[in-house]
Amino acid sequence: MASEDITKLAESLAKTKVGGGQLSFKGQSLKLNTAEDAEEVIKQIEEFDGLEALRLEGNTVGVEAAKVIAKALEKKSELKRCHWSDMFTGRLRSEIPPALISLGDALITAGAQLVELDLSDNAFGPDGVRGFEALLKSPACYTLQELKLNNCGMGIGGGKILAAALKECHRKSSAQGKPLALKIFVAGRNRLENDGATALAEAFGIIGTLEEVHMPQNGINHPGITALAQAFAINPLLKVINLNDNTFTEKGAVAMAETLKALRQIEVINFGDCLVRSKGAVAIADAVKEGLHKLKELNLSFCEIKRDAALTVAEAIEDKAELEKLDLNGNCLGEEGCEQLQEILEGFNMAAVLGSLSDDEGEEEDDEEEEEEDEEEEEEEEEEEEQQQLKERGQGEQESLTPKKIIDSQDSSPVPSPPVDVATFLAFPSPEKLLRLGPKCSVLIAQQTDTSDVEKVVTTLLRISSVFKDEAPVKTAVHETTDALMRKAFTSATFNSDAFITSLLIHMGLLKSEEKIKAVPSLYGILMTLNYMVQQDYFPKSLAPVLSAFVTKPNRALDSCSFARHMLLQTLHQL
């Protein structure tokens, strides 16, 4: 290490905070790559008697540095709190699991009994969960009370691994006579979706001691919400439920409302931006009215709730003496409805608890349209569930479900799937259709796309990326098709790269346009595809700063794809 680097490190370490059993390197932006880089950190750890909390957040720790830091931790049996969020900035995903394994093994060797483990804001993905899986199953976590994994990109796979590890920890700790008594669980922005949420719900139901659950922005629909509701009912100590920015619809809201009736300690309910709609809001209002006397905060903002339902919610809080905040902003009350809402609360002497209504969407009279939307959404969800069940049952059972009229009595082979052409795929894209186009899918799509038309190139790229999955065959097909299309476009003398990036940003909802263009429903696929595309030789490096600038800006659609966004920004930074 150069002398000036050592000087900088020494200056940073001079800011190290020590006190109350805590050693903090928080926010010092230390770049610990090698054992030599970590020498001063190790010295501080080794010389700290009675170390109970170690803060490493806001630094970046490599595999080699993690190993030597771990060695120092092997003698710290009193360590209880690991504040290790945001400590792998700029690291490859492949570096994070071995670093976590080293640190976790050290805690196990030391005989530590953790109370808090915070690994938030580390974009380690599903594989990263494997890095601390052994730690979670070990005696070091039998005493764990707080587990924080916000914004880690775990995905469905990571959620399932985590759930299994928590169940194993509970089983082993119960055998020792001291069952795992987890109190706080945080896992927002992780794309857990229904399957990940359902797996975790099973673990929550076994644990039964939760006091706070924070799982916002996870793409969970009513099947996952219902599973969580059933699990929450078996956790009578729950005080805080934060499921902001998931999709309840009426089914999920009703299931959650039934659970709320059984909970007596609830203080905070955050179902903002969860599309509970009017029927769901009324169900939740009934639960609030029946009990929840300790309720301090109720957030039902941006849920497409109409006036009468919102007024029902207001009436439900009449005797909630401890209520500090009611948030009904961004719904469909209209000016008169907002006034009525305020009048009701003034009648209870509770006008002060009402949050701003500045983003009210105005009163709507489309009750029939809302019912139709609900029915359509539920039908779509049911179809998706049925398709998933068919996949899980396997081909043999699928054959048995095929109508007999279609299958010849002498031949039990299923009817072949109808052929797919490029036009069919682009009209109704799906991973299966892309794969069924065959090995020449990339060439076919590139050949049939007029790359002199920027809008057609953008639309085609968005259709291709919309089917992205982190599964080898689909991922490869998306990458190869993207390569063929964009190489053809960018190498064409007539292709306008600046117009392309502008149009793409508009379609992603990151740039406003005078024309009314509907943004794509999810940015995950295009962000993951761009993460691959910007690394290719055909991509103009002059576009990277523009892309980076817009992806960095605050945006709700980007926030819900925080893992993919982080991956892309990290790649752009390295170009």
Side-chain angles (χ1 to χ4, degrees):
M1 183 185 284
S3 59
E4 58 267 25
D5 293 332
I6 295 172
T7 304
K8 285 181 183 177
L9 181 60
E11 288 172 358
S12 294
L13 291 170
K15 300 174 188 174
T16 301
K17 295 178 182 178
V18 177
Q22 174 176 284
L23 177 60
S24 175
F25 300 95
K26 182 179 179 180
Q28 294 183 19
S29 301
L30 301 175
K31 295 181 180 179
L32 308 177
N33 298 316
T34 65
E36 186 183 0
D37 294 340
E39 279 179 1
E40 288 295 326
V41 173
I42 294 163
K43 184 181 177 185
Q44 296 259 10
I45 293 171
E46 288 176 340
E47 293 177 355
F48 196 110
D49 292 329
L51 180 63
E52 293 184 9
L54 177 61
R55 306 196 77 105
L56 290 174
E57 63 264 60
N59 299 291
T60 178
V61 182
V63 176
E64 190 180 336
K67 285 180 181 178
V68 291
I69 291 171
K71 196 69 180 173
L73 290 175
E74 287 181 359
K75 297 175 183 176
K76 301 298 174 182
S77 61
E78 296 176 23
L79 188 61
K80 292 180 174 63
R81 297 184 182 274
C82 297
H83 302 280
W84 294 350
S85 63
D86 187 23
M87 67 174 209
F88 296 111
T89 303
R91 299 289 167 186
L92 297 173
R93 270 178 66 179
S94 58
E95 292 181 85
I96 302 175
L100 287 173
I101 289 169
S102 296
L103 293 167
D105 287 348
L107 299 178
I108 297 169
T109 301
Q113 294 187 313
L114 296 185
V115 173
E116 179 179 359
L117 177 60
D118 186 355
L119 292 170
S120 299
D121 300 314
N122 290 310
F124 47 59
D127 294 340
V129 185
R130 293 284 188 199
F132 59 94
E133 180 185 16
L135 173 63
L136 278 181
K137 293 178 179 180
S138 76
C141 284
Y142 291 177
T143 50
L144 196 64
Q145 294 179 15
E146 301 179 29
L147 179 58
K148 299 173 182 177
L149 298 165
N150 202 55
N151 192 28
C152 292
M154 290 190 291
I156 294 170
K160 289 181 176 180
I161 296 167
L162 176 61
L166 288 172
K167 288 191 288 186
E168 182 72 0
C169 180
H170 187 272
R171 185 187 69 78
K172 288 182 175 179
S173 57
S174 297
Q176 297 291 321
K178 293 182 179 179
L180 171 67
L182 192 65
K183 293 181 180 179
I184 298 174
F185 179 83
V186 181
R189 300 182 179 182
N190 271 294
R191 293 190 61 82
L192 294 168
E193 301 182 15
N194 288 333
D195 289 351
T198 301
L200 285 166
E202 188 177 333
F204 297 161
I206 292 169
I207 293 167
T209 56
L210 289 167
E211 295 180 12
E212 294 185 22
V213 175
H214 302 264
M215 296 174 66
Q217 292 186 8
N218 269 299
I220 308 169
N221 299 325
H222 79 78
I225 297 297
T226 301
L228 288 171
Q230 292 167 349
F232 292 164
I234 316 170
N235 284 265
L237 302 177
L238 265 174
K239 295 178 183 176
V240 178
I241 302 177
N242 176 6
L243 293 173
N244 189 287
D245 200 6
N246 289 292
T247 307
F248 281 42
T249 63
E250 184 188 348
K251 282 186 179 180
V254 169
M256 195 60 71
E258 284 302 308
T259 285
L260 290 175
K261 291 177 182 178
L263 299 174
R264 295 285 178 264
Q265 307 300 320
I266 288 291
E267 295 178 5
V268 177
I269 297 171
N270 186 345
F271 297 159
D273 207 6
C274 282
L275 205 68
V276 303
R277 292 205 171 121
S278 295
K279 291 178 182 178
V282 170
I284 291 168
D286 289 343
V288 171
K289 191 170 185 177
E290 285 185 25
L292 305 188
H293 296 293
K294 295 184 179 181
L295 189 63
K296 293 180 180 178
E297 181 179 333
L298 175 60
N299 184 347
L300 293 174
S301 60
F302 299 93
C303 282
E304 294 190 7
I305 300 168
K306 294 198 167 73
R307 180 181 62 180
D308 291 347
L311 298 181
T312 301
V313 172
E315 289 165 354
I317 66 167
E318 181 178 2
D319 62 344
K320 306 302 174 241
E322 295 187 33
L323 192 73
E324 298 170 2
K325 184 178 181 182
L326 172 64
D327 193 346
L328 287 168
N329 198 17
N331 287 300
C332 311
L333 281 68
E335 189 175 340
E336 186 180 341
C338 290
E339 290 173 2
Q340 289 176 320
L341 182 64
Q342 288 165 334
E343 285 171 10
I344 289 172
L345 293 173
E346 283 170 5
F348 302 154
N349 232 0
M350 297 177 73
V353 306
L354 183 63
S356 169
L357 296 172
S358 60
D359 292 319
D360 186 75
E361 295 287 342
E363 190 170 10
E364 297 177 5
E365 298 178 359
D366 302 328
D367 288 337
E368 290 182 11
E369 187 178 322
E370 180 181 305
E371 287 176 12
E372 287 174 8
E373 285 177 4
D374 277 337
E375 287 172 7
E376 285 174 11
E377 283 176 7
E378 287 170 11
E379 283 173 9
E380 285 174 10
E381 287 171 358
E382 284 168 9
E383 284 176 14
E384 286 175 9
E385 288 170 32
E386 286 172 9
Q387 287 173 4
Q388 184 61 33
Q389 286 169 4
L390 285 173
K391 286 178 187 176
E392 290 170 358
R393 286 172 187 161
Q395 184 64 38
E397 195 163 330
Q398 284 185 44
E399 287 175 16
S400 69
L401 294 173
T402 308
K404 290 182 180 179
K405 289 180 182 178
I406 299 176
I407 299 178
D408 185 85
S409 58
Q410 302 300 315
D411 183 5
S412 61
S413 61
V415 174
S417 300
V420 172
D421 56 20
V422 171
T424 304
F425 166 73
L426 292 177
F428 304 100
S430 72
E432 292 76 18
K433 286 176 187 166
L434 181 61
L435 294 176
R436 277 164 54 197
L437 279 171
K440 293 185 178 180
C441 63
S442 57
V443 177
L444 291 170
I445 290 175
Q447 283 176 346
Q448 295 185 37
T449 303
D450 179 6
T451 52
S452 65
D453 186 333
V454 167
E455 277 299 307
K456 283 186 180 176
V457 173
V458 169
T459 304
T460 303
L461 176 63
L462 289 168
R463 296 288 171 85
I464 295 165
S465 64
S466 71
V467 306
F468 179 90
K469 280 187 176 181
D470 203 12
E471 297 172 2
V474 177
K475 188 176 180 180
T476 301
V478 168
H479 286 173
E480 288 178 352
T481 310
T482 299
D483 281 341
L485 173 68
M486 298 316 302
R487 189 181 296 279
K488 179 184 175 186
F490 283 128
T491 54
S492 169
T494 58
F495 189 70
N496 189 329
S497 298
D498 292 334
F500 164 78
I501 201 71
T502 300
S503 176
L504 181 62
L505 290 168
I506 290 170
H507 281 275
M508 290 173 71
L510 305 183
L511 182 63
K512 289 183 179 179
S513 169
E514 292 180 4
E515 297 176 28
K516 197 168 184 180
I517 294 175
K518 190 175 181 181
V520 291
S522 171
L523 295 180
Y524 179 73
I526 185 61
L527 288 172
M528 293 300 284
T529 303
L530 283 170
N531 182 54
Y532 168 80
M533 193 171 94
V534 299
Q535 300 177 62
Q536 308 312 308
D537 57 5
Y538 56 75
F539 183 80
K541 297 300 181 276
S542 61
L543 299 182
V546 179
L547 191 56
S548 181
F550 280 92
V551 176
T552 305
K553 286 183 178 180
N555 183 285
R556 284 175 65 191
L558 285 171
D559 287 343
S560 64
C561 303
S562 52
F563 171 69
R565 178 194 208 175
H566 176 84
M567 292 286 289
L568 175 57
L569 286 173
Q570 189 168 299
T571 301
L572 289 169
H573 180 70
Q574 292 170 353
L575 289 178

